[in-house]
Amino acid sequence: MLSVAVVGSGPSGVYTAQALLQQSLVPDVRVHVLDRLPTPYGLVRYGVAPDHEKIKSLQNSLRAVLEDERVTFVGNVGVGGADGVSPARLAELYHAVVYCVGASADRALAVPGESLPGSYSATRFVSWYSAHPDIGADPFARDALGARSAVVIGVGNVAVDVARILARGAGELRRTDVPRAALRALEESRVRDVHIVGRRGPSQARFTTKELRELGALPGARVAVDPTELALDPAYAAPDGLPGALPLPAVVRRNLEVLRGWSAGSGAVPGGAPGSADAGRRIRLRFFLRPVELLERGGRVAGVRFARTAPDGSGGVRDTGRYEDIEAQLVLRAVGYRGVELPGLPFDPVRGTVPHAAGRVLRGGVPSPGEYVAGWIKRGPTGVIGSNRSCAKETVTSLLADAAALTRRTAADDPLAVLREWGLRPVEWAGWLSIERAEAELGRSLGRGPVKIPDWAGLLSAARDEHP
Ligand SMILES: Cc1cc2nc3c(=O)[nH]c(=O)nc-3n(C[C@H](O)[C@H](O)[C@H](O)COP(=O)(O)OP(=O)(O)OC[C@H]3O[C@@H](n4cnc5c(N)ncnc54)[C@H](O)[C@@H]3O)c2cc1C
Ligand SMILES: NC(=O)c1ccc[n+]([C@@H]2O[C@H](COP(=O)([O-])OP(=O)(O)OC[C@H]3O[C@@H](n4cnc5c(N)ncnc54)[C@H](OP(=O)(O)O)[C@@H]3O)[C@@H](O)[C@H]2O)c1
């Protein structure tokens, strides 16, 4: 029997468990999926936007894996932290450990004024509206949503997500699982202008077309794009292809078509009834503007100073010596996520990942027996949910190739009993089901569908079926 711990119950952790179940090389496998949170699914629960119900429903296929009789969910057990279990001790309990801990921190912008009140990472904003218990009912958003003008820095899918939540009426979010405090703050939001700003051109933007198009379908919001800014982009200016250049990737071509439509004035959005409660929101997509400083007034952010850039002919940009200030009382920095060092595991601080060879963790450049890695902490913070499936498969292929040697190592008969002896209080699947029931009950009492519990105490008491 091969006993494996998977650390992290996000997509990469669950796909790792699934790949272990679906193989035939080692028929007798037991998988414990550990998570520091009492809730499963990682960023599918705490990142995917609440109004993306179809993607959220992927939880159902992840659930089927976690409910397999060979799999045990072990929530509320952190690895590597002060209150958790160290990688060295965990290795005593299982034949192999696969780290699938994601990349939870935000990348810094590294410009003056970045930490002024009113300037937040998109990571924090996302965690807030997703009810991540580390953020709780953070009062920052009430303060932040008092802004009339917001700048979102970055043109990836996270930038589009946060801009959409800012521009979407709270009324529409009532049907989602957004926690109460966030819904209330969004209802009272004064934000009217949302500027999404890229330092390079539209053909280098990282958002995908479906997500871009959604901005144009928000009731009561208008999208505007400046045609002169688009025209700076050589690929935009020469839609039939640049002489001697490779054909544009399909996603870039589609993005440019959507932007072309908006710049031609078709940004008026069906369903945006003037006079409705949500009317009058404007989303402006800006390009070739590199942030150089966050401007301050009265101790708070008052805007962003950008250097005007121009294409350098090879996909990058150069500064032109000109500047533009955009007024904003709220700045969300959506410039990417970053892996966090897990004490006791090797870490590459430049890439923000665990060094590995085909998923085998490298210590001093050499594969460390029984230690593996998958997902964002292996590849870095890019890729959609599905990308983690092939990533997990590669790791499991390496693990299975090592299986004969791994099963010669000792493993605990009952790792959960040992974790309890070490003072940990795991939340198992039944505990998670209790949380789900409590969230459904909370939603019913508010006349909504399930509503997320946003704090540790609430989640843990729900998991233990305690009624305060
Ligand atoms: C804001 C946002 C929105 C997104 N929206 C979409 C979308 O709509 N569609 C799409 O296809 N992709 C989306 N993605 C991408 C997708 O979420 C990722 O590809 C995917 O979640 C990465 O999976 P992962 O398992 O590596 O990490 P995660 O999903 O982050 O899972 C990591 C898990 O590890 C746990 N963990 C962390 N540290 C420890 C520890 N020390 N001990 C124990 N457990 C630990 C965490 O609690 C978490 O449950 C989005 C990403 C972000 C950031
Ligand atoms: N609906 C979905 O499918 C969905 C939703 C959310 C996230 N995701 C996925 O999750 C992953 C992470 O998304 P993400 O948006 O966090 O990251 P991302 O796709 O890497 O985008 C980051 C953006 O920040 C910009 N940026 C980086 N450093 C900057 C700086 N110093 N100044 C100004 N701009 C800077 C980048 O510009 P440069 O290109 O110039 O570096 C880029 O536009 C992606 O793979 C994404 O597709 C998917």
Side-chain angles (χ1 to χ4, degrees):
M1 198 268 292
L2 176 68
S3 161
V4 181
V6 172
V7 182
S9 64
S12 63
V14 178
Y15 289 141
T16 297
Q18 187 178 43
L20 284 163
L21 300 183
Q22 285 179 344
Q23 50 78 38
S24 53
L25 279 174
V26 184
D28 194 6
V29 181
R30 177 181 72 186
V31 188
H32 283 186
V33 180
L34 280 58
D35 206 292
R36 61 178 286 268
L37 298 177
T39 53
Y41 312 134
L43 282 170
V44 183
R45 178 172 160 94
Y46 289 120
V48 171
D51 57 345
H52 276 173
E53 283 102 338
K54 198 161 164 218
I55 305 173
K56 284 270 184 212
S57 70
L58 268 175
Q59 289 183 15
N60 295 332
S61 56
L62 303 181
R63 176 189 202 103
V65 177
L66 293 176
E67 287 188 332
D68 188 287
E69 61 186 11
R70 293 161 289 173
V71 177
T72 307
F73 174 68
V74 187
N76 196 35
V77 172
V79 179
D83 314 325
V85 52
S86 69
R89 292 195 94 184
L90 195 63
E92 295 167 15
L93 306 185
Y94 299 93
H95 293 127
V97 181
V98 189
Y99 289 91
C100 302
V101 292
S104 57
D106 56 292
R107 218 180 278 155
L109 204 51
V111 299
E114 179 163 14
S115 45
L116 279 170
S119 159
Y120 304 100
S121 69
T123 316
R124 182 162 162 195
F125 187 60
V126 168
S127 292
W128 171 75
Y129 65 63
S130 305
H132 195 295
D134 285 354
I135 294 285
D138 189 332
F140 88 92
R142 264 174 189 264
D143 169 54
L145 298 178
R148 288 195 67 79
S149 173
V151 162
V152 177
I153 300 177
V155 283
N157 277 329
V158 171
V160 172
D161 270 357
V162 298
R164 194 180 65 253
I165 296 294
L166 283 176
R168 191 186 273 294
E172 287 186 88
L173 293 172
R174 255 187 79 78
R175 67 166 198 269
T176 73
D177 60 7
V178 162
R180 273 179 300 180
L183 189 63
R184 217 174 303 125
L186 287 162
E187 271 162 5
E188 291 165 10
S189 166
R190 289 161 50 87
V191 174
R192 285 294 171 268
D193 288 293
V194 182
H195 309 259
I196 309 175
V197 189
R199 60 181 170 180
R200 298 191 287 158
S203 59
Q204 285 88 39
R206 306 265 184 99
F207 42 61
T208 39
T209 316
K210 180 177 156 288
E211 280 62 32
L212 179 64
R213 277 206 189 102
E214 267 180 284
L215 293 177
L218 295 174
R222 271 167 194 273
V223 187
V225 191
D226 180 349
T228 57
E229 237 163 40
L230 294 186
L232 285 172
D233 189 320
Y236 180 84
D240 298 331
L242 304 171
L246 294 170
L248 286 178
V251 60
V252 173
R253 224 173 334 99
R254 286 195 298 261
N255 285 348
L256 292 177
E257 273 161 27
V258 173
L259 294 169
R260 186 171 287 118
W262 287 338
S263 77
S266 57
V269 172
S276 78
D278 302 330
R281 292 205 166 108
R282 289 168 295 271
I283 301 171
R284 294 199 168 89
L285 280 143
R286 304 293 311 273
F287 295 98
F288 296 111
L289 291 171
R290 183 175 67 80
V292 289
E293 183 182 358
L294 269 60
L295 306 170
E296 180 252 316
R297 196 181 312 126
R300 294 185 52 85
V301 73
V304 185
R305 175 155 300 158
F306 292 94
R308 166 62 73 191
T309 62
D312 66 1
S314 52
V317 285
R318 54 177 177 77
D319 283 353
T320 61
R322 284 178 290 129
Y323 293 88
E324 176 174 335
D325 294 350
I326 300 181
E327 182 206 320
Q329 302 79 38
L330 168 63
V331 174
L332 292 177
R333 309 174 313 258
V335 296
Y337 280 61
R338 187 169 49 84
V340 178
E341 180 167 9
L342 195 147
L345 260 200
F347 189 66
D348 175 344
V350 177
R351 291 173 44 86
T353 53
V354 171
H356 74 96
R360 294 182 177 94
V361 170
L362 298 177
R363 288 188 183 268
V366 178
S368 168
E371 288 186 314
Y372 301 85
V373 70
W376 274 18
I377 194 63
K378 169 184 170 190
R379 309 190 312 276
T382 57
V384 292
I385 293 167
S387 327
N388 300 292
R389 189 193 285 268
S390 47
C391 176
K393 273 191 182 157
E394 181 196 55
T395 296
V396 168
T397 302
S398 298
L399 191 157
L400 293 172
D402 303 341
L406 293 173
T407 48
R408 284 197 289 275
R409 296 155 55 100
T410 54
D413 287 336
D414 186 353
L416 265 136
V418 182
L419 289 171
R420 287 197 187 92
E421 268 167 35
W422 290 347
L424 293 147
R425 296 192 66 199
V427 167
E428 291 181 64
W429 193 249
W432 158 242
L433 295 180
S434 290
I435 293 175
E436 276 194 321
R437 278 196 301 277
E439 293 189 335
E441 183 51 42
L442 174 61
R444 259 194 302 279
S445 72
L446 299 168
R448 297 174 54 192
V451 170
K452 278 177 172 169
I453 298 172
D455 59 296
W456 275 97
L459 287 171
L460 290 176
S461 78
R464 307 214 153 95
D465 225 352
E466 292 160 1
H467 298 284

